[in-house]
Structure formats: C-alpha cells, structure tokens
Amino acid sequence: MNQYVIAIDQGTTSSRAIVFDHSGNIVSTGQMEHEQIFPQAGWVEHNPAEIWNNTREVIASALSKANLTRHDIAAVGITNQRETAVVWDKNTGEAVYNAIVWQDTRTQPIVDQLAQDGGLERFKQKVGLPLATYFSGTKIKWILDNVDGAREKAEAGDLLFGNTDAWVLWNLTGGVDGGVHVTDVTNASRTLFMDLETLQWDQEILDVFGVPASMMPAIKSSSEVYGQVHTSQLLRETPVAGILGDQQAATFGQAAFQPGEAKNTYGTGCFLIFNTGEEIVHSKNGLLTTLGYKLGDAKPHYALEGSIAVTGSLIQWLRDNLGMISSAPEVEELAAGVKDNGGVYIVPAFSGLFAPYWRADARGAIVGLTRFANKGHIARAALEATAFQTREVLDAVNADSGVPLTELKVDGGMVANEALMQFQADILGVPVVRPKVVETTALGAAYAAGLAVGFWKDLGELSANWNEDKRWEPQLPAEEQERQLRLWKKAVTKSMDWVD
Ligand code: G3P
C-alpha cells in the first residue's frame, strides 16, 4: 500500500512518468515523444492536446510495467519544461492556439517594443528576468494579439494560461469538470509577471502586457496538496502534491538544498542552477534570478540560473536536419574517431544566445573550417559547444557569488556521454560529479510531492538518498584550456550581430 510516488515529467521533447520507491530508486518508466512543430524559422510549437494524451498514456504505461495500481501510489508530482505557454478555454478545455515553446523567438518585436520604455532590464529588479522571447509573458501577449477573438474571450474571463505544469494539473484534476488552476512559485518565476518578494502576480506588469489577471493560475508553494486526481483518471483520488519547473526539480533531486550548491542539467538545453538560499541575489553577469523551491509555508529558496538554449538539441539537429548521424549516441562514436576538434567550433545560437550574453541578434555559426575538417570534427565541436557554454555560465556564477564552485553536480541525458563529461571537467578546471540516479528532474518532483504527504519526512532523508556514481577530474594543462576557451570566445563573437 502506498509504497511509491509517481512523477510526471512533461519535457520539451517527451512526456514521461516515473515511479520511485522510498530510496529514490526508479521502479518503472513510461515515455512518449511529441511532435515538434516548426511553422517557420524561429517558431517552435507543441500541440497541448497531444501533450495531455501522452501524459495519460505514460502514466498508464509506468503503472502497468510495474504491475501497480493507484493504491500503490502515495502522491503525484509534476515537473515540466518551463516558460512554454498554453492558453486554453476553460469552458471547452481546448487550447486556443498551440503551445508556444520556450525556444520560440517570434515575440522579438514585442520585446523590442516593451524595451523602448526602460530597456531590456525594465522589470529585472522585480522579477529577476530581462525582457526576452524566452519567458512566457511575451508569448501570452502574442496569443492575445494574434489569435482571432482571444483577447475578447480573455477579457470576459473565459481563457486560462499555464505553463505545461498547470495545463497537466488542470486536466488531471478534472479539466472542465472542476480542474484546479494552479502553478508553483518556480514556474511563476519564469513568466516575467511574478514579484520575487511577494510571490504574487504584479498587476502593473500584467497591465503593461495587457494580460488579464483572471487568466493567471493561483501561485502556490512547490510542495502541498493542490487537489486530487479526477475520478475519470487512472490515478483517481491520488493527491497531486508537488510542482517544480524541471530545472528547479533537478536541483531538488540532486539534494542541492544548501546555499552555494549547484547543478547542471544536460538536456535539450543546459541549465546551471546555483542555490542562494533565502537571499534574492541580482546578477551582474547575465544570470537570471529565479525561485529555487518553496516547501509549504516555509520561506522560499532563491537561485541564480545560467540558461543555455541549445546543447542536446544541437545533436538532434545533426541527426534530423543534416542526417549526419542516425541516432544521438552515434555522435560520441564519430567524435571519438578524431583526436581533437581540428580547429572547428560550433556556436549553436539557434534561438539567439541566452546566458551570459542575452543576444537576440546572434545566430548559429560553424567556424574554423578547413579542407581537413570532417564529420568527426563537426561531431566533436558539437559536443564541445555544450562544455564551453557551461564554462561561460560557471564563470558568471563564480563572479556573482564571489566564491568559486569547487565541483559541479551534473545530470540529464547527455551525462551518459563519458567523453563529454571528461572534456567538461577539463574545460571547467573543477571535478564533475554524476549521481547514481541521473533522472533527478523527475526525482525532484517526486520528492516535493512525497514531502507534502509525509511519504518522506524531511530534507535530511532525501540527502541520504543521494549517492555518487562517478567523478571526472580535470586533466587538461592550464595553457591548453585557456587556448581552447579563447578560440571558443572568438567563435562566439562571429555568431553575433547576424540578424538584419
Ligand atoms: O527553460 C526551459 C527548460 O525548462 C526546458 O528543459 O529539459 O525540457 O529541455 P528541457
């Protein structure tokens, strides 16, 4: 009875459900990819109905693989791709437009227009974020401005907004039949609308964007019972008790609870989160100030974040757009076939450059090509781009905190790539540490839900579940590390100022 917690991880490329036991071990997993819709250059969409259907399927598959029923599950946690905006009609349950994904850059004209009064940092002191296409706010405005009838319906109180956590929660708890419209502080902190101090929507900013407050979900902590799964669903009557944006969930799953602890997650993009405890720290080096977590009534924990838009998705691009490899792991084999990058550097600025540059005018660049360069060098440069981008973000964290990190905890799909992890340690100059359970995103959401229902009693119990799997020590001589970093930074300058 109630021996497990299930986490739903609604990510950028797939939705997963993972069942965890009390020791934080994976019992079973269900996973389904969803379509990536690219209607034009710079636009990225998902179909919200497909996401919700897949969510139901993966829950069913995770339960059935381990022969479990709802009676075995103590609580449900939700984690999600952050910023991706869904706007739906609360009377029909249908989205009025596809979800606009965090990588989508169509709202640059909105950003430019809003920045005319006060610049890109206009709201940064209050919300921790610069104006950028990345965050939900401009995406909601785009939908209201561009979808027929949307603004009228929103003003009449008929439309709801959510990141995919809120979309999944609303549907899971009944949808048009009493669905709960709630998000947590971590997701709310990615919209551009939440005041970091009060943890409430800021009416003035909502007004500037022309977004009615009635569309916005109630902001709750990351760990409390939000509602029960609706009776029409497989997990009926199970409490939904945890929500964390995926990067914050990974930090929580890594048990990085103390100020000064950090993790880097290698997924579609790469996101380094540095826990600053109860203190709101404003970055001078291109990092975001964001919520780390809030457990029930306890004080919130804040964090600094270095967001990198493209890492794993560069490997997918080699596979899907160039046909250079047929599966993502092949990139490692190709890269292993050459002794170095042959002087080739790839700057994957597909959505402009995020941290620490925040340059919307940047576009992808491959530089250093000679007649000597081959597929192996390109593969290697693609992997190395991930490590170089992480180094630049780590430098920003060290500059902001004043206390250099002595090691980096890592997780996410790409940490299975041993060569990349060694190169990462070489380029950072500090050890890189991988835990035994690398599914820290789902684990963090499970922890948040389990804590709320007493399945786990406190953070100490969670820390005790964390075990080291492998550690990579830096081996590259300092001069070589500096030389490569210098070339990388030169390559970055070539990617900038590209948009007409
Ligand atoms: O900010 C975007 C991030 O939350 C997406 O993460 O792992 O779905 O690529 P992921």
Side-chain angles (χ1 to χ4, degrees):
M1 269 300 243
N2 286 358
Q3 303 172 63
Y4 308 105
V5 171
I6 192 165
I8 297 165
D9 178 1
Q10 199 306 292
T12 309
T13 51
S14 72
S15 304
R16 299 187 304 165
I18 304 188
V19 177
F20 290 96
D21 66 17
H22 197 263
S23 308
N25 294 316
I26 293 175
V27 174
S28 66
T29 303
Q31 174 162 14
M32 280 177 85
E33 293 206 356
H34 52 265
E35 191 188 352
Q36 304 294 312
I37 305 166
F38 304 111
Q40 46 178 286
W43 293 32
V44 189
E45 299 178 358
H46 295 154
N47 177 348
E50 183 187 9
I51 282 182
W52 167 234
N53 284 336
N54 288 1
T55 303
R56 287 195 305 182
E57 298 255 343
V58 296
I59 292 171
S61 121
L63 291 177
S64 83
K65 276 184 194 160
N67 244 334
L68 303 175
T69 72
R70 68 191 176 99
H71 299 294
D72 301 302
I73 306 293
V76 184
I78 300 175
T79 180
N80 58 299
Q81 51 169 327
R82 305 161 308 163
E83 301 97 15
T84 297
V86 187
V87 174
W88 71 96
D89 187 321
K90 69 176 186 196
N91 306 308
T92 63
E94 279 173 26
V96 299
Y97 190 77
N98 273 339
I100 303 187
V101 178
W102 58 276
Q103 301 146 323
D104 189 295
T105 57
R106 80 184 66 185
T107 57
Q108 192 58 44
I110 297 179
V111 168
D112 295 340
Q113 181 225 325
L114 291 168
Q116 275 171 16
D117 179 7
L120 290 174
E121 307 226 322
R122 181 172 174 184
F123 306 116
K124 193 151 190 257
Q125 189 64 23
K126 206 179 246 180
V127 305
L129 315 172
L131 280 167
T133 60
Y134 179 24
F135 309 110
S136 314
T138 60
K139 302 178 197 291
I140 306 172
K141 180 169 167 51
W142 189 93
I143 291 175
L144 297 186
D145 289 348
N146 289 280
V147 176
D148 265 358
R151 182 164 297 282
E152 292 70 32
K153 276 193 185 164
E155 275 160 10
D158 289 331
L159 298 190
L160 303 178
F161 153 77
N163 292 131
T164 61
D165 63 313
W167 170 243
V168 166
L169 176 69
W170 187 79
N171 280 293
L172 202 57
T173 53
V176 292
D177 189 15
V180 173
H181 188 218
V182 156
T183 191
D184 90 305
V185 289
T186 66
N187 277 289
S189 75
R190 317 297 296 186
T191 55
L192 278 167
F193 297 161
M194 191 187 76
D195 184 320
L196 289 171
E197 305 256 1
T198 63
L199 306 183
Q200 294 301 321
W201 304 121
D202 184 89
Q203 190 58 50
E204 258 175 59
I205 304 180
L206 287 173
D207 289 345
V208 171
F209 278 71
V211 171
S214 59
M215 292 179 72
M216 302 304 286
I219 303 174
K220 302 274 182 174
S221 80
S222 317
S223 175
E224 64 180 270
V225 177
Y226 311 108
Q228 324 286 328
V229 176
H230 190 255
T231 47
S232 60
Q233 305 295 321
L234 212 49
L235 284 169
R236 62 185 173 275
E237 287 156 14
T238 311
V240 189
I243 304 179
L244 284 161
D246 59 6
Q247 303 309 320
Q248 284 85 346
T251 316
F252 207 69
Q254 284 270 23
F257 305 129
Q258 298 307 320
E261 290 190 292
K263 69 85 212 184
N264 196 28
T265 302
Y266 296 75
T268 320
C270 234
F271 302 86
L272 196 151
I273 291 202
F274 178 82
N275 185 337
T276 62
E278 289 171 15
E279 200 188 340
I280 299 177
V281 177
H282 287 282
S283 174
K284 294 189 177 61
N285 296 283
L287 302 175
L288 309 175
T289 306
T290 200
L291 262 292
Y293 60 86
K294 178 173 172 7
L295 304 177
D297 293 333
K299 287 199 172 145
H301 273 235
Y302 294 90
L304 283 169
E305 172 175 321
S307 329
I308 303 166
V310 179
T311 54
S313 54
L314 175 60
I315 310 302
Q316 287 170 346
W317 180 77
L318 294 181
R319 183 193 65 190
D320 303 338
N321 296 45
L322 298 193
M324 213 179 91
I325 46 175
S326 56
S327 72
E330 255 180 57
V331 81
E332 193 171 356
E333 279 167 45
L334 260 183
V338 290
K339 77 173 189 345
D340 56 30
N341 65 13
V344 177
Y345 290 79
I346 304 182
V347 184
F350 295 162
S351 306
L353 280 171
F354 284 13
Y357 297 101
W358 297 105
R359 289 287 296 255
D361 61 346
R363 287 296 175 268
I366 304 181
V367 300
L369 291 176
T370 59
R371 184 65 182 82
F372 169 73
N374 61 32
K375 282 208 277 194
H377 298 119
I378 302 276
R380 192 150 182 146
L383 289 174
E384 289 184 359
T386 295
F388 286 124
Q389 293 185 98
T390 298
R391 163 66 195 253
E392 294 215 74
V393 162
L394 190 78
D395 286 347
V397 167
N398 286 341
D400 274 337
S401 76
V403 188
L405 268 185
T406 50
E407 62 175 38
L408 185 64
K409 286 179 167 179
V410 296
D411 53 70
M414 286 174 98
V415 302
N417 187 326
E418 304 261 337
L420 172 61
M421 290 301 105
Q422 182 57 54
F423 186 71
Q424 183 67 90
D426 287 344
I427 285 299
L428 293 180
V430 295
V432 165
V433 187
R434 183 173 70 191
K436 282 220 164 80
V437 178
V438 287
E439 297 296 352
T440 51
T441 299
L443 181 60
Y447 279 166
L451 279 173
V453 298
F455 183 81
W456 285 291
K457 75 179 185 317
D458 55 26
L459 296 183
E461 207 174 43
L462 306 183
S463 297
N465 281 349
W466 192 94
N467 290 300
E468 180 173 321
D469 174 44
K470 186 156 180 183
R471 168 179 293 262
W472 289 268
E473 298 287 342
Q475 290 169 354
L476 203 64
E479 319 78 73
E480 182 53 17
Q481 188 203 82
E482 275 158 31
R483 189 186 71 85
Q484 295 207 29
L485 197 60
R486 194 173 60 243
L487 284 167
W488 161 260
K489 289 191 178 189
K490 205 165 165 182
V492 170
T493 63
K494 308 290 176 203
S495 76
M496 288 179 182
D497 197 17
W498 191 256
V499 176
D500 250 348

